[in-house]
Amino acid sequence: MTKVAFIGLGVMGFPMAGHLAAAGHDVTVYNRTAAKAQDWVSKHGGTAAATPREAASGAEIVFSCVGNDDDLRSVILGDDGAFAGMGEGTILVDNTTASAEVARELAAIGEERGIAFIDAPVSGGQAGAENGALTVMCGGEQAAFDNAKAVIDAFARAVTLMGPAGAGQLTKMVNQICIAGLLQGLSEGMSFGQKAGLDMEKVIDVIGKGAAQSWQMDNRASTMCKGEFDFGFAVDWMRKDLGICLAEANNNGARLPITAVVDQLYAQVQARGGRRWDTSSLMHLLAND
């Protein structure tokens, strides 16, 4: 059993923290909306704290999973932030999808305090979090990673150290870039098949056994054809992530022409009222024009 804290109980953090409790760890939680933390405690036991600092006090490993760079700084830094409650030799594992810049910033501040920082964004969506089957891509020092991995395993199917601080976030950017282009191609293919008058269930079945197969096809193609977009990862969050990707590409010189186009297509989805639709809703633009 490890004494841990979990900061941020959104659609991902709530079940992730639950898996830590189910694995036998002593979990203290914090959420900006205190009622959510109390709800978590009623379901999983453990303790709810009034501030990130209080949650982190005495914890060997602190997890965070919030919205963006500014949210992350607000719960980690400052008098009531997690760092203020953590002692030397402890580890902060951040599961937020954020910039590599903020990961390096927090890693440097942590190092000054004797606290190891691991940026550890996840892939697998809400279903992956609920099923304890997330893919976790980490950036940080090997020793801290080795100490934290067995605990992270409670909500993951794969946990990999990708390199120094920021490498986890950069890997997550690659993930989102690949998904964006794939979903647009899948949307175009499904729309083309519908307009051609094909039986799309048969199409999906046959091409899903060939080179076009992907997780997105297996899990989203049928619902896309039905105009159902209430699954998984919301467009608002995808646009946040793609913005991070495009900003990093501007820094490192990578060319992301398809990513930039898909980002603007998601802006059109938002304008249609689809801010909380899932990322497969690119199909809506093609099916309803």
Side-chain angles (χ1 to χ4, degrees):
M1 182 182 74
T2 301
K3 183 171 175 54
V4 304
F6 205 104
I7 298 168
L9 300 173
V11 295
M12 300 293 286
F14 196 102
M16 290 164 69
H19 286 296
L20 291 170
H25 301 297
D26 179 3
V27 185
T28 298
V29 297
Y30 167 79
N31 195 69
R32 283 178 293 188
T33 304
K36 182 68 86 61
Q38 293 297 336
D39 183 36
W40 187 92
V41 170
S42 71
K43 289 180 170 65
H44 300 287
T47 306
T51 66
R53 177 177 182 166
E54 182 182 323
S57 180
E60 300 165 69
I61 302 176
V62 176
F63 292 87
S64 55
C65 189
V66 293
N68 54 39
D69 287 19
D70 290 340
D71 293 334
L72 184 56
R73 291 186 181 98
S74 74
V75 297
I76 302 303
L77 304 178
D79 292 342
D80 287 326
F83 274 170
M86 297 175 69
E88 288 191 25
T90 57
I91 303 169
L92 197 150
V93 178
D94 176 44
N95 299 121
T96 308
T97 295
S99 70
E101 178 183 1
V102 76
R104 297 185 190 109
E105 172 191 329
L106 295 176
I109 294 170
E111 186 175 10
E112 293 174 357
R113 299 172 179 234
I115 299 168
F117 180 88
I118 300 174
D119 52 294
V122 301
S123 181
Q126 184 176 349
E130 292 172 349
N131 294 326
L134 293 168
T135 297
V136 188
M137 45 213 92
C138 301
E141 296 298 323
Q142 185 73 54
F145 173 81
D146 291 343
N147 287 334
K149 183 181 181 300
V151 180
I152 301 171
D153 280 340
F155 54 74
R157 67 173 181 176
V159 185
T160 306
L161 182 64
M162 306 306 300
Q169 296 296 352
L170 292 169
T171 304
K172 180 61 182 289
M173 292 177 210
V174 175
N175 186 80
Q176 302 304 75
I177 291 164
C178 292
I179 289 172
L182 191 157
L183 278 168
Q184 179 59 18
L186 184 59
S187 297
E188 292 181 15
M190 296 302 100
S191 177
F192 177 92
Q194 286 182 325
K195 292 184 184 299
L198 295 172
D199 180 329
M200 293 310 297
E201 287 303 317
K202 286 186 176 180
V203 171
I204 293 165
D205 180 65
V206 70
I207 69 173
K209 294 180 172 67
Q213 186 275 337
S214 68
W215 185 96
Q216 298 292 342
M217 177 174 286
D218 291 347
N219 291 276
R220 295 289 179 264
S222 291
T223 52
M224 288 165 70
C225 290
K226 297 173 185 175
E228 298 173 358
F229 307 117
D230 55 348
F231 309 95
F233 193 60
V235 168
D236 276 356
W237 293 113
M238 186 60 157
R239 284 214 73 204
K240 183 265 290 186
D241 290 359
L242 294 183
I244 292 171
C245 297
L246 292 166
E248 185 65 33
N250 189 56
N251 291 332
N252 69 21
R255 296 180 64 246
L256 302 179
I258 299 301
T259 304
V261 169
V262 174
D263 177 58
Q264 290 306 302
L265 293 173
Y266 278 127
Q268 293 178 36
V269 174
Q270 289 175 318
R272 293 187 177 195
R275 301 177 68 91
R276 303 303 300 172
W277 294 348
D278 77 79
T279 50
S280 68
S281 57
L282 288 169
M283 178 75 169
H284 190 275
L285 298 177
L286 301 171
N288 294 278
D289 280 344

